[in-house]
Amino acid sequence: MVPYGIDKEKFFLQIERLREHLRKIEGIKKKYKDEEILIPLLERNLHLAVESCLNIGNHLISGF
């Protein structure tokens, strides 16, 4: 049962965005070996993944 205020489409869109950021992180780790390039790319994608988690949490909180 889905609580009244949760938009399933928006929820699953955020889940897919999170998965995409995690896939990018895996790809970056395999593709780049130079730390000057690797670290900023990983930091940015990790930042976006964390934002996706926060968006998911906020959506759940507002739905309950």
Side-chain angles (χ1 to χ4, degrees):
M1 180 173 147
V2 177
Y4 177 73
I6 293 179
D7 180 350
K8 289 193 319 186
E9 186 176 324
K10 185 176 180 181
F11 176 78
F12 287 115
L13 176 65
Q14 287 296 328
I15 294 289
E16 187 53 40
R17 286 182 183 164
L18 174 59
R19 287 181 178 149
E20 182 61 30
H21 295 305
L22 295 176
R23 279 192 291 272
K24 285 181 182 179
I25 288 170
E26 286 302 316
I28 289 167
K29 288 189 329 186
K30 292 176 185 174
K31 186 174 182 179
Y32 297 100
K33 302 299 178 202
D34 181 11
E35 285 189 17
E36 287 184 30
I37 296 171
L38 180 65
I39 292 174
L41 290 173
L42 289 174
E43 285 177 344
R44 177 63 180 152
N45 280 282
L46 182 59
H47 176 248
L48 293 172
V50 169
E51 274 189 11
S52 292
C53 291
L54 293 172
N55 289 340
I56 292 166
N58 286 333
H59 187 69
L60 290 173
I61 289 169
S62 68
F64 289 114

